[in-house]
Amino acid sequence: MPASEPVSGRRDLPRMADLVKLSDRFEIDPAQPLPDFDSPSAKAYVCTEGSGTEFFALVCDPKVPLRVETINGLKGFPKHNLMRVHDHGVVNWTLSGRRMPVLILDRPRGTRLFADPGQAIEPFTDEQLARGFLTPLVATMREMSQRGVTHRNIRPDNLFYSDPARRSVMVGECVSAPPGLYQPDSCESLECVMADRTARGEGGVLDDLFSVGVTLLSLLTGRMLPEATDPQRMIFDRINFGSYACLVGNTRLQMNMVEVLRGLLTDEPRERWTIRDLELWLGGRRLTPKQVKLPPKAGRPLTVGGGTYENVRAVAHAIGRNWNTAAELVRGQDFDNWLRRSLGDENVVEAVNKVTGGANGIQSAPKEEDARLVTRVAIGLDPSAPIRHKGFSCHIDGVGPTLAMNFNDDATRQMIAGFIGSRSVGPWMSVQTRSKQDLLELFSKFDKLPTFLNSTGPGYGIERVLYELNEDIHCMSSMIEHLCVTDPEEVVPSLEAVAQGQNRPPIPMDRHLAAFLGARSSDIDDRLLRPLGNSSDKRPAIDALNVMRLLARIQTLSRNGPMPGLCQWFTELMKPAVNGFHNLKARAAVETSVMKASESGQLGEILKIFDDQRAQQRDQQGFARAQQEFAHCAVQVAQMNLDLQNKDSLAAELGEQAAAVISGVVGSVGTTAIVILYLV
Amino acid sequence: MASNSASASSLKVIVFTIVGGLMLFTLPTVLLLGLGMLPTFAAMMVDQRREKYTTLCVGCMNFVGVLPFVARLWSEDHSYAKAFEIMVDPFAWLTMLGAAGLGWCIYLLAPGVVSMGIAMRIEQRIGRLRRRQRELVEEWGPGVAGALDNSEPLDDTKEKGRDG
């Protein structure tokens, strides 16, 4: 996500009445909210631009990941009836006292169709539906389909009149939240609704077409479909009786509308209407409405978790929901008989055999892998459904948003760690009939995740999984979360901001920051990340040194100028390492060098000083020698003190000898002198 | 072995015979020496050590004190009368005993002087070692002392005084 304003160290957020600028082009007025255009996780504000075109700004909840890939995919989108994104970025937002992601969107000239879910509107006529809703929508969907993006947010309360005369309808934005997150269950195809809400995934154009069908139904009736009181019961009903029957119910419809609704609300994706079918229908083609094809029933029902189920999709869904008791069932002969004889679908048997290794594979699976076995059986039974593991039901591209939105929830983290550890994506891929390039990319990504998850040090673990699966979310580190940093190049300026703030954490690194850098920067590899968690190295300030090495690399790569605050912070953190120099002259010299390097604002300059291993080695060796010499001196001093105490006994012996010598010499000299005196 | 001890015994007999013969012909000298060297004989009596340093000290000086009077006896008149004349002279006794006393003084004072010398030398060496230790601490910090850090405080003024 491009940041429109540089990361600012001080929280110099604008005053209440100040306009907030994005990209030096759009001016957002925090004092003028537009509640009519709010999205479930974003607030709308007046936004102006010099050209006079009408825009509004959506200030998004930073906890909800944006669909940046979709935003990029929709760049330069022609003016159909879609609320287009003109710009996006991060701004300092007064009202929340932090930086917030912002979207600049087309401002509809009309109002929202359904201001609240209980509101009833005048039912649309065929003419209104065809010309005012479906025709522009089909053009929009064709364009989106050609760009390889899905909307996944088509629902009655995300429609706006695009003109004050209410002649045409435009579809609201689809990028402020993960796909399908705020879709009512009724607006989602069975494949999507069976997944957890946050894990519905990007889906495809057929899922959008299903949503178009449900929206069409609401416009025909003038009311939104009520939410089911028991969503799971509703899912099983839709599986057993078909979504069309469950959603349309007894609503009286014209025959031409029955045709389009049956086409769009078909649960079998291969039989669902495509954009082409819709275009032909709008062009005047009329066919006899096809009967909704219900899933084939097995010869006898199968009991799962106390309920009886007659078709394979219902059994798969029930097994996924009753995963803790289903292992016993799938290991039993009854299940095998049901699968091979009662169901009578060779494709399903083949898929189950493929993912489980057949009856032998099921029987030989160890008890502790029951959950994995159940997951695989469910995949084999219903390959197009979400993967279900220990109660977590997801499309693989929905795992990332689920983790991002619930990262602070222990249960979710464990659930997703368990899902990744189960390595269920491979078996799931092996039974997919369609093969999309992005799925293959995701598969290769999932293949690497267990390795990250099994590494416990900073830069790995579940945090790394978070950033690997969400390429566009901002760094969740508590130090810089409020700054909404999405690019590694912004990390060092953000930390400079933290360094200049009041409440510095103990060290400018944590698990989130390390994982963020590891996932987003190809230049940050194991050689820089592994040392962060190496507790065996006991050198002083080694943690700070390893962090500095990592951040110095980022600073060098991003070339975003001197960072004196951060350097000063590291200067303080590295004091133990400076004090680690035993030689006081060398220590003073290092201190001076560090101060000088710190003033340059380049972490690399400080790093050079502490990376000089030879100087440290010389110091260590010199210190060892000095210690030895000191100890030797001390031993000698002690010995001499002992001699000093015993000097009298030593002196007595020596003194007597000396006295004897002196007397001898004096005697000899005296004798000689006397003899000479008397002889002469 | 037996032949060695036999020859030593015979050598002793020869030496005693010669010395005894000489003493027989120089009796006044023997008398003078015998009386004048009495302090030496006394020192020999009290000297318990095998090396006989006391005897050596006192003896040497005592002999120097007696020798002028023996020389006078030989040069003037080697007779008992002369010997007795010398021996009744208080100055002669003062000289002989004084010299022996000087020997005692040397013997008694030397250990003290030597002790002072030793102490001075040791303290000089300790001073040099402590100065080196202080240099090491100044260069490498107090950590260089390690476990010995609490050995003895390095008192600069004391050390400087010692070093002179």
Side-chain angles (χ1 to χ4, degrees), chain A residues 582 584 629 640 653 656, chain B residues 49 107 125 132 139-140:
Chain A
H582 299 94
L584 298 182
E629 191 181 344
M640 285 179 187
E653 174 74 21
E656 285 179 357
Chain B
R49 295 192 59 175
Y107 177 76
R125 286 197 63 193
R132 179 61 189 147
E139 191 181 354
W140 295 96

Side-chain angles (χ1 to χ4, degrees), chain B residues 104-151:
Chain B
W104 273 107
C105 283
I106 291 172
Y107 177 76
L108 292 174
L109 289 177
V113 173
V114 168
S115 172
M116 276 170 62
I118 288 172
M120 221 156 75
R121 215 185 77 206
I122 288 175
E123 281 178 359
Q124 267 180 352
R125 286 197 63 193
I126 287 176
R128 273 203 302 275
L129 289 168
R130 290 225 182 276
R131 197 165 55 240
R132 179 61 189 147
Q133 281 186 316
R134 201 164 48 243
E135 283 168 5
L136 288 171
V137 170
E138 278 167 10
E139 191 181 354
W140 295 96
V144 78
L148 303 166
D149 201 15
N150 55 0
S151 53

Side-chain angles (χ1 to χ4, degrees), chain A residues 319-481:
Chain A
I319 282 178
R321 289 190 57 76
N322 297 282
W323 63 272
N324 45 358
T325 56
E328 199 179 333
L329 171 79
V330 299
R331 285 178 197 277
Q333 191 58 43
D334 186 45
F335 177 76
D336 194 54
N337 291 341
W338 180 85
L339 182 65
R340 294 177 201 287
R341 295 179 194 161
S342 303
L343 190 61
D345 188 334
E346 279 308 311
N347 290 336
V348 174
V349 174
E350 194 183 322
V352 172
N353 286 343
K354 198 171 182 179
V355 294
T356 60
N360 287 339
I362 291 175
Q363 295 305 328
S364 61
K367 186 81 180 156
E368 52 273 19
E369 291 198 0
D370 275 357
R372 186 187 293 197
L373 175 66
V374 170
T375 299
R376 293 189 178 203
V377 169
I379 289 171
L381 291 174
D382 189 1
S384 59
I387 303 173
R388 305 163 179 106
H389 182 76
K390 287 189 172 181
F392 177 48
S393 175
C394 65
H395 286 285
I396 61 171
D397 48 354
V399 178
T402 304
L403 187 59
M405 292 191 67
N406 303 288
F407 191 82
N408 292 329
D409 178 35
D410 274 348
T412 305
R413 286 205 303 270
Q414 282 174 15
M415 187 173 74
I416 289 175
F419 172 77
I420 291 165
S422 74
R423 293 179 184 265
S424 303
V425 177
W428 180 80
M429 285 289 291
S430 71
V431 290
Q432 295 307 300
T433 49
R434 64 196 173 97
S435 157
K436 281 168 69 178
Q437 186 58 34
D438 53 343
L439 281 187
L440 287 172
E441 281 171 18
L442 262 173
F443 170 64
S444 66
K445 195 173 274 185
F446 268 92
D447 208 31
K448 288 188 290 183
L449 293 184
T451 314
F452 291 136
L453 207 55
N454 292 334
S455 302
T456 53
Y460 302 92
I462 193 75
E463 290 86 359
R464 180 64 176 269
V465 171
L466 171 70
Y467 297 108
E468 290 287 340
L469 290 179
N470 296 279
E471 288 180 359
D472 301 302
I473 61 161
H474 65 280
C475 180
M476 303 271 196
S477 162
S478 56
M479 289 184 288
I480 58 169
E481 196 278 331

Side-chain angles (χ1 to χ4, degrees), chain A residues 133-444:
Chain A
F133 174 60
L134 283 177
T135 303
L137 179 63
V138 165
T140 298
M141 291 184 70
R142 179 160 292 286
E143 179 68 26
M144 289 179 83
S145 169
Q146 283 167 357
R147 289 168 180 249
V149 292
T150 55
H151 192 285
R152 301 288 285 110
N153 219 20
I154 300 171
R155 60 178 185 271
D157 61 350
N158 194 28
L159 299 179
F160 298 85
Y161 291 111
S162 54
D163 59 298
R166 298 185 166 190
R167 277 194 296 270
S168 120
V169 171
M170 70 189 288
V171 189
E173 60 88 16
C174 59
V175 294
S176 69
L181 178 65
Y182 298 114
Q183 290 283 80
D185 286 355
S186 57
C187 290
E188 288 286 275
S189 64
L190 264 180
E191 288 80 11
C192 292
V193 81
M194 284 190 289
D196 289 1
R197 184 167 282 275
T198 51
R200 287 173 170 174
E202 291 288 332
V205 68
L206 289 171
D207 298 302
D208 273 344
L209 284 164
F210 186 93
S211 304
V212 170
V214 179
T215 307
L216 196 60
L217 179 63
S218 291
L219 295 181
L220 276 170
T221 58
R223 58 182 174 79
M224 286 176 67
L225 296 181
E227 280 289 289
T229 49
D230 182 351
Q232 286 304 320
R233 186 70 260 155
M234 185 63 175
I235 288 172
F236 279 115
D237 286 347
R238 282 174 64 179
I239 291 170
N240 294 329
F241 308 115
S243 292
Y244 177 84
C246 292
L247 299 175
V248 174
N250 297 323
T251 309
R252 296 188 63 184
L253 299 167
Q254 291 178 1
M255 193 50 74
N256 60 335
M257 286 300 157
V258 171
E259 183 192 355
V260 67
L261 286 177
R262 278 192 176 164
L264 291 173
L265 299 180
T266 301
D267 289 325
E268 174 54 60
R270 275 169 298 191
E271 294 187 8
R272 193 173 299 152
W273 274 22
T274 60
I275 295 172
R276 178 74 186 144
D277 289 326
L278 210 49
E279 283 172 338
L280 289 173
W281 183 83
L282 285 168
R285 185 191 74 171
R286 294 292 181 270
L287 300 169
T288 311
K290 282 191 287 189
Q291 283 299 316
V292 174
K293 197 176 164 188
L294 293 176
K297 285 184 180 179
R300 64 176 176 86
L302 184 72
T303 303
V304 184
T308 53
Y309 303 94
E310 293 180 322
N311 60 66
V312 67
R313 171 163 275 185
V315 167
H317 193 58
I319 282 178
R321 289 190 57 76
N322 297 282
W323 63 272
N324 45 358
T325 56
E328 199 179 333
L329 171 79
V330 299
R331 285 178 197 277
Q333 191 58 43
D334 186 45
F335 177 76
D336 194 54
N337 291 341
W338 180 85
L339 182 65
R340 294 177 201 287
R341 295 179 194 161
S342 303
L343 190 61
D345 188 334
E346 279 308 311
N347 290 336
V348 174
V349 174
E350 194 183 322
V352 172
N353 286 343
K354 198 171 182 179
V355 294
T356 60
N360 287 339
I362 291 175
Q363 295 305 328
S364 61
K367 186 81 180 156
E368 52 273 19
E369 291 198 0
D370 275 357
R372 186 187 293 197
L373 175 66
V374 170
T375 299
R376 293 189 178 203
V377 169
I379 289 171
L381 291 174
D382 189 1
S384 59
I387 303 173
R388 305 163 179 106
H389 182 76
K390 287 189 172 181
F392 177 48
S393 175
C394 65
H395 286 285
I396 61 171
D397 48 354
V399 178
T402 304
L403 187 59
M405 292 191 67
N406 303 288
F407 191 82
N408 292 329
D409 178 35
D410 274 348
T412 305
R413 286 205 303 270
Q414 282 174 15
M415 187 173 74
I416 289 175
F419 172 77
I420 291 165
S422 74
R423 293 179 184 265
S424 303
V425 177
W428 180 80
M429 285 289 291
S430 71
V431 290
Q432 295 307 300
T433 49
R434 64 196 173 97
S435 157
K436 281 168 69 178
Q437 186 58 34
D438 53 343
L439 281 187
L440 287 172
E441 281 171 18
L442 262 173
F443 170 64
S444 66

